[in-house]
Amino acid sequence: MDIVDLKNRVVENISKVIFGKSDSIEKLLISFMIGGHVLLEDVPGTGKTVLARAFAISLGLNFTRVQFTPDLLPTDLTGLSIYDREKGDFVFKPGPIFTDILLADEINRATPRTQSALLEAMAENQVTIDGVTHKLSDNFFVMATQNPIEYEGTFPLPEAQLDRFAFMMKIGYPDKNGEMEMLTSQMDHHPIKDVKPVLNKDEVYFLRNAIKNVYVDDTIKDYIISIVSHTRFNKELYLGASPRASINLMKGSMAYALLKGRNYVVPDDVKALMREVLYHRLILTSEARVRMRHVDDVLEEIKEEVPVPVIKKDEV
């Protein structure tokens, strides 16, 4: 199978409803390929829900959307055991988490208790209810959304939960041409109705296992470790990135290389995903915030400070 062809089919298909955002679609696909999860942080109306639906349809996977609210209970997500009079025993009724792609819409509106119900699922691909462990789909993938502007009535995600997301992405507003295409496409009906599956089960399985054949030189691994280490000892950061971030950055770079038609990683692959992997894991110090510093500023400085390794052709 040609993985670049698979990528192009998915990107082109989703681009029928999300215009001018092929880079974001590609990075979403990368997160799925490495078995990670994505936090979409953006203002309302930028297409987060439509992106999730189109992504699931394109891959031919089951899709479930859950609107997170303060009164949402953990069992509303995971399911619960209900007593069956005919059987004289409790029967497990699975919740919406038993799907392939789960859209946790406005995740920060649910209470910490409900948010934590996702932790085991995201980390171990299973949920435990009444002492019984239930395995989730092999393709289980969480796409969570949150509004970065409106904080009233929300419960900020704790660092432990944020760290479970491989990537944090912003879709952003479309450019003028993209918005013109969007208006034209929705004059008589929503284009999501025209989106059809473009991959089959074997191709999805191939995507999820393709990075096993990608070569990562030790100099690249050292480069990744150096970047992550700089976040831990930066004076402007109260909290740096975890070892899980190093793993996500390495695996993401492997998938990125594949989608560019290579079976080896180069430093530019790492740079391309730095923000998506590290941004949500970093917390500025109070002093840095007073000086109006931003996490993006720190990441750009780290990118410049860490020496870029030179990979010789005979090493790949």
Side-chain angles (χ1 to χ4, degrees):
M1 293 183 189
D2 183 353
I3 198 161
V4 176
D5 174 61
L6 299 184
K7 182 254 303 191
N8 289 338
R9 278 152 55 186
V10 172
V11 172
E12 289 171 10
N13 202 45
I14 298 176
S15 294
K16 295 176 182 177
V17 291
I18 301 293
F19 301 97
K21 298 295 178 182
S22 57
D23 183 63
S24 296
I25 298 170
E26 187 174 311
K27 288 175 179 176
L28 180 62
L29 183 60
I30 289 171
S31 183
F32 177 78
M33 288 171 63
I34 66 174
H37 305 282
V38 168
L39 178 63
L40 298 173
E41 184 180 75
D42 221 325
V43 295
T46 51
K48 300 184 291 295
T49 302
V50 174
L51 173 61
R53 286 181 60 195
F55 185 76
I57 294 172
S58 297
L59 273 59
L61 300 176
N62 295 323
F63 171 76
T64 304
R65 175 183 178 271
V66 177
Q67 182 65 49
F68 277 54
T69 56
D71 60 350
L72 188 74
L73 299 174
T75 52
D76 292 332
L77 267 182
T78 60
L80 72 165
S81 297
I82 300 176
Y83 186 75
D84 189 319
R85 289 185 177 181
E86 293 183 2
K87 296 182 179 180
D89 200 0
F90 285 90
V91 177
F92 176 65
K93 300 293 183 182
I97 203 170
F98 288 87
T99 187
D100 292 321
I101 295 181
L102 175 70
L103 175 62
D105 214 356
E106 294 188 290
I107 188 173
N108 57 334
R109 290 203 172 278
T111 62
R113 182 184 177 194
T114 302
Q115 291 175 9
S116 65
L118 276 175
L119 276 175
E120 182 185 10
M122 293 171 67
E124 302 175 40
N125 215 57
Q126 64 182 33
V127 291
T128 303
I129 301 161
D130 297 330
V132 179
T133 299
H134 303 269
K135 195 174 186 312
L136 298 175
S137 164
D138 290 336
N139 294 318
F140 181 66
F141 180 59
V142 175
M143 295 177 65
T145 72
Q146 66 178 12
N147 182 351
I149 303 299
E150 187 179 352
Y151 290 108
E152 186 174 343
T154 63
F155 302 87
L157 295 177
E159 283 67 40
Q161 181 118 18
L162 285 171
D163 198 44
R164 299 292 181 182
F165 289 98
F167 290 3
M168 193 205 78
M169 293 169 46
K170 295 180 182 290
I171 301 174
Y173 294 117
D175 58 22
K176 185 176 181 179
N177 292 334
E179 197 154 5
M180 179 66 76
E181 287 186 74
M182 181 187 70
L183 294 179
T184 303
S185 70
Q186 296 198 31
M187 289 183 69
D188 54 357
H189 72 290
H190 200 294
I192 192 69
K193 296 179 180 178
D194 300 327
V195 177
K196 306 296 181 185
V198 293
L199 300 186
N200 58 41
K201 290 182 179 179
D202 290 338
E203 290 168 331
V204 171
Y205 178 82
F206 178 74
L207 274 177
R208 296 279 272 191
N209 292 273
I211 68 168
K212 295 177 181 178
N213 300 317
V214 177
Y215 174 72
V216 186
D217 192 79
D218 285 345
T219 56
I220 295 292
K221 295 175 186 175
D222 184 69
Y223 182 52
I224 291 171
I225 293 171
S226 296
I227 289 172
V228 174
S229 294
H230 268 63
T231 69
R232 297 170 187 164
F233 302 105
N234 190 292
K235 293 180 179 180
E236 293 188 296
L237 294 175
Y238 174 74
L239 179 69
S242 68
R244 187 181 286 115
S246 302
I247 296 171
N248 290 158
L249 189 52
M250 180 186 72
K251 288 185 174 181
S253 300
M254 294 164 73
Y256 188 87
L258 272 179
L259 297 190
K260 297 302 178 185
R262 283 182 278 102
N263 64 350
Y264 59 91
V265 177
V266 297
D268 283 347
D269 301 329
V270 179
K271 290 181 180 180
L273 297 176
M274 267 184 64
R275 189 185 193 280
E276 284 75 15
V277 174
L278 299 178
Y279 183 92
H280 59 295
R281 293 179 159 99
L282 308 180
I283 298 178
L284 290 169
T285 62
S286 55
E287 293 85 355
R289 291 197 298 271
V290 168
R291 296 201 309 273
M292 303 297 289
R293 293 283 283 168
H294 196 275
V295 170
D296 279 323
D297 300 327
V298 178
L299 283 175
E300 283 300 316
E301 289 173 2
I302 290 174
K303 188 185 293 187
E304 294 298 323
E305 290 171 4
V306 178
V308 179
V310 177
I311 307 297
K312 299 178 181 177
K313 291 185 178 179
D314 58 356
E315 292 180 348
V316 297

